[in-house]
Amino acid sequence: MLQLSMFNFFFYWAMSIINAFFPLLFRYKGLSPGQIGIVLAVGPIVAIFSQPLWGIISDKKQTVKKIIILLLAATLVIGLAIFFSPTMLLLIFFMLIFHFFMSPIQPLLDSLSTTFAKENGVSYGSIRIWGSIGFATASFIIGYIIGKIGIQYLWIIYTIIIVGIFLIALKLSDSKAPRKAVTKEGFKKAFRNPQFLVFLIAVLFIAIPHRMNDGMLALYLKSFGAKEGLIGLAWTFSALSEAPVVGIMYILMRKIPLLVLISIAGCFYTVRWFLYSLLSEPILLVSSQAMHSVTFAIFMVASLQYIASIIPREMIATGQTAYFATFNGLAPIIGSSVGGYLMEKFGGDYMYRMGSISALIGTFIVVILFLRERKVENEKQYA
């Protein structure tokens, strides 16, 4: 458990660099917000295909450890190419290759952590929480360091972190239990369920502004004069606020219907993005990142549980894969590219207002789903 917790902790240091500081690096290279949005969007495009591909390879070889080690080695080399790419076209090219190897590591790590937790009778959350702590710690520390030495030296920090993660990965152990693979037939069955399909559409509308914020927040803060240390602190706030809410979700889900919880998170998302459109003081924007707790934390846990409740048990892995393909694939593609365009043409405040509308639409769809389910239940009760 120690090795897995350490891997989660330091892997999310690398994720902090990608999510929080890559946009600043690209801005330093002279790219506009619109161009940065395009560069950030290419990663999720390849991730939609690379995550299932490496998952299938891992299932076929019955090893997660060796696949993660291979992916980390490739990530180190390709990542360095990104730091030294002088043009947008080269950045797009290397970001495509980078995410082909980098993006599958997180789901593989989650798979390894979940299996370990089941086999050893421990909580998955007790392992995964170290990722949140790592992300929060890294965002603050890296932001402070970059503020002192300059974003152009981010590649040194990146190299040290990836090498450290690689060494920890050598100490990991594979699960001995065979894993059920996600299949093409499973996807077909899942998408024949209209309830599941409509829910994924709602997820997409809510996730688009979330992922737009992931890519554009650093640039938005920078436009108001925020330093790198304060920008890193924004991500620290969001990561730290997430943990306690995830911890109490088990209790909340026993007392409140899942779609109601998801609707509540959607309402908070709507308010959150509208609030961002009004604020111009960096410290207030950074503080508002604490709303991550009542938006993403509630939304993610309740959504995964809801998916497990509406599709057959044998297709849960398929349903969750489709959810992550929507939230981590389609949504970042649209959010980054459209968000970058809106910020460049109309300003960050307009971008967040559009994000608020998108979240509201998704929330409305979830409410309709809940009312329809309640109606069906009442009809069955009085039939």
Side-chain angles (χ1 to χ4, degrees), residues 240-295:
L240 288 179
S241 69
E242 171 187 322
V245 176
V246 170
I248 65 170
M249 277 300 292
Y250 175 74
I251 299 173
L252 293 176
M253 288 189 297
R254 293 177 63 183
K255 297 180 178 294
I256 305 174
L258 292 170
L259 286 178
V260 173
L261 283 171
I262 296 168
S263 299
I264 291 172
C267 289
F268 276 123
Y269 264 128
T270 303
V271 173
R272 180 183 177 185
W273 306 136
F274 186 71
L275 180 63
Y276 280 32
S277 74
L278 299 177
L279 297 175
S280 58
E281 180 61 43
I283 192 64
L284 293 178
L285 280 164
V286 169
S287 301
S288 298
Q289 278 285 93
M291 290 187 72
H292 189 76
S293 59
V294 291
T295 50

Side-chain angles (χ1 to χ4, degrees), residues 9-233:
F9 182 83
F10 287 107
F11 176 72
Y12 278 87
W13 276 62
M15 293 299 292
S16 173
I17 290 178
I18 296 168
N19 291 341
F21 299 105
F22 264 18
L24 294 179
L25 175 69
F26 299 151
R27 191 67 173 143
Y28 170 79
K29 288 177 175 288
L31 272 64
S32 69
Q35 291 173 322
I36 292 171
I38 293 172
V39 172
L40 293 177
V42 300
I45 292 174
V46 73
I48 292 176
F49 305 101
S50 67
Q51 288 183 358
L53 173 63
W54 286 104
I56 291 170
I57 294 173
S58 174
D59 289 334
K60 189 172 182 180
K61 300 295 183 182
Q62 286 296 300
T63 176
V64 174
K65 173 184 175 178
K66 292 179 181 177
I67 299 298
I68 286 178
I69 290 173
L70 172 64
L71 295 175
L72 281 171
T75 297
L76 173 62
V77 177
I78 303 302
L80 288 175
I82 291 173
F83 288 102
F84 295 102
S85 295
T87 66
M88 180 181 171
L89 286 178
L90 280 176
L91 281 172
I92 290 174
F93 175 73
F94 285 119
M95 282 288 281
L96 281 168
I97 302 176
F98 175 78
H99 279 282
F100 179 79
F101 294 107
M102 181 65 175
S103 61
I105 297 177
Q106 185 176 0
L108 287 172
L109 175 60
D110 284 342
S111 171
L112 191 62
S113 299
T114 304
T115 306
F116 178 89
K118 289 181 180 178
E119 291 179 348
N120 293 273
V122 298
S123 166
Y124 163 75
S126 65
I127 301 173
R128 175 59 180 81
I129 194 172
W130 287 103
S132 297
I133 295 173
F135 192 96
T137 306
S139 298
F140 178 73
I141 294 177
I142 295 174
Y144 176 80
I145 294 173
I146 290 304
K148 295 293 183 182
I149 67 174
I151 193 74
Q152 66 269 31
Y153 297 110
L154 184 62
W155 69 272
I156 299 175
I157 301 173
Y158 171 84
T159 302
I160 293 171
I161 291 171
I162 295 296
V163 170
I165 298 170
F166 182 87
L167 295 175
I168 296 172
L170 296 176
K171 300 292 184 180
L172 295 177
S173 299
D174 272 315
S175 166
K176 297 193 170 34
R179 293 176 295 130
K180 188 180 178 90
V182 174
T183 63
K184 184 178 179 180
E185 291 72 22
F187 264 108
K188 287 182 179 179
K189 288 181 181 178
F191 279 97
R192 289 194 192 107
N193 182 341
Q195 189 178 4
F196 176 64
L197 187 58
V198 171
F199 180 68
L200 284 185
I201 294 172
V203 168
L204 181 62
F205 274 102
I206 294 174
I208 285 172
H210 177 101
R211 291 308 185 184
M212 180 178 67
N213 180 66
D214 284 350
M216 297 296 129
L217 177 63
L219 303 181
Y220 193 50
L221 286 168
K222 197 73 174 175
S223 69
F224 294 122
K227 301 297 182 184
E228 286 78 2
L230 188 60
I231 293 172
L233 192 62

